[in-house]
Amino acid sequence: QVQLVESGGGLVQAGGSLRLSCAASGFTLDYYAIGWFRQAPGKEREGVSCISSSDGSTYYADSARGRFTISRDNAKNTVDLQMNSLKPEDTAVYYCAATWECTWTQYQYDYWGQGTQVTVSS
C-alpha cells in the first residue's frame, strides 16, 4: 500500500525550530519530487517547498525562503523540512505529497500524507 506519513509537528514558541519528516511506505521517495504544503485555519492550502527527484533542485515559497530547508535522506526514505525562525503565521497543518516534477499545482500530486499540526505561539 502506497502511503506518506508526516511527523515532527508540535507546539513551539516564535523564533523556535521544528523538523518535519515525510516517510514513505510502498514506494521509494527518491523517484518522486516531494512537496510540502500547509493549510492554516480558514485559508486555502498553499505550497511551501519542493525538492526534485532528478537533480535535487529545491524550491521555496517566499514565506519559507531563508528560514526553511528541504532535504532528502535516501537511506531512510524520507524528505525532511527543517523550519527555523518560526513565526505565528507558520501555524498550519503541514502535508507532504509526491509528484513527478516539482510544481505548486496541487492536483498534479499523486500521493498525500495525512498532515501534521504545527503551532507557533507568540
Side-chain angles (χ1 to χ4, degrees):
Q1 181 179 0
V2 173
Q3 193 174 11
L4 290 173
V5 178
E6 304 93 339
S7 62
L11 173 64
V12 64
Q13 289 188 335
S17 299
L18 282 175
R19 189 176 184 88
L20 306 184
S21 186
C22 175
S25 61
F27 68 107
T28 303
L29 276 182
D30 57 357
Y31 293 145
Y32 290 83
I34 302 299
W36 281 96
F37 294 81
R38 68 185 183 186
Q39 187 167 23
K43 295 187 177 181
E44 293 186 353
R45 189 164 58 187
E46 62 178 4
V48 175
S49 184
C50 188
I51 186 166
S52 73
S53 60
S54 55
D55 60 3
S57 295
T58 57
Y59 305 89
Y60 298 94
D62 289 344
S63 59
R65 191 173 293 110
R67 300 187 299 128
F68 294 3
T69 303
I70 191 170
S71 61
R72 290 185 182 271
D73 187 332
N74 290 335
K76 296 181 179 179
N77 201 27
T78 63
V79 171
D80 296 340
L81 184 69
Q82 177 68 41
M83 305 188 297
N84 299 328
S85 303
L86 283 163
K87 306 174 182 180
E89 51 264 43
D90 294 317
T91 295
V93 177
Y94 283 71
Y95 302 87
C96 66
T99 186
W100 289 112
E101 295 183 356
C102 279
T103 175
W104 298 126
T105 306
Q106 296 180 36
Y107 73 78
Q108 293 185 352
Y109 284 78
D110 297 313
Y111 307 113
W112 289 83
Q114 82 292 347
T116 185
Q117 177 70 47
V118 170
T119 303
V120 184
S121 64
S122 58

